[in-house]
Amino acid sequence: MSFRKLHFVAAVLSLLALMPVLPAKSTDPLTLVVFGDSLVAGYQLAPDEAFPAQLEQALQARGHNVKVINAGVSGDTSSAGLSRLDWSIGPDADAVLLELGANDALRGIPPANTRQNIDEMVRRLSERGVPVLVAGMLAPPNLGPEYAEDFNPIFQYVAEKYGALLYPFFLEGVALDPDLNLDDGMHPNARGVSVIVGNVLPSVEELLARAGS
């Protein structure tokens, strides 16, 4: 090899050595944790009919590289959710959909307690840098207007306090519709879950955008 060619090769190698090494673009899916009660756990439904499974399918059909984790526990109150938050939502969580409070209302738990628990959960997740979508709930009418006045604003209040996203009423379009609920009239059937997924999908996509989708 001539001296001129050798000099050229050395110059090229020197330039390559100075170029920054860019990390490979990650192909790992985002992890979305659905944290809640029986409304998301899939009460009396097949695993692929539950809200997290249907949500994952809908998101993937729209091109999102995401894995949705079912962290719903039937019967959970906001207090029970708070007690298991840290070990149920691990360090791999990129985003959380938080759906709790329905059982608080059914049991007539003081709204101040519910607000404190929801607030603490969103605070902890926010401190971890995990974006949150708060799914709201409405108090049953039989508890009276005073209870509803204290309970219903909880979710918007907490979401605004921490800059979280809000979906105002998780059962929008499904509550009280016998065709979309199980015989108990409270839990959505597979068709009802599909309606919820369709309604909440834009909010979840916004949540994934915050998580870096």
Side-chain angles (χ1 to χ4, degrees), residues 111-131:
N113 294 2
T114 303
R115 184 171 69 173
Q116 182 177 0
N117 294 330
I118 300 292
D119 185 292
E120 178 64 13
M121 285 186 277
V122 178
R123 184 191 69 79
R124 290 187 189 179
L125 292 170
S126 297
E127 286 187 349
R128 288 170 51 180
V130 179

Side-chain angles (χ1 to χ4, degrees), residues 66-100:
V66 60
K67 176 175 63 175
V68 181
I69 305 298
N70 188 340
V73 174
S74 294
D76 256 12
T77 60
S78 62
S79 176
L82 177 58
S83 69
R84 67 182 178 91
L85 179 81
D86 294 330
W87 58 264
S88 292
I89 303 176
D92 59 334
D94 296 301
V96 171
L97 188 157
L98 176 62
E99 178 280 311
L100 281 168

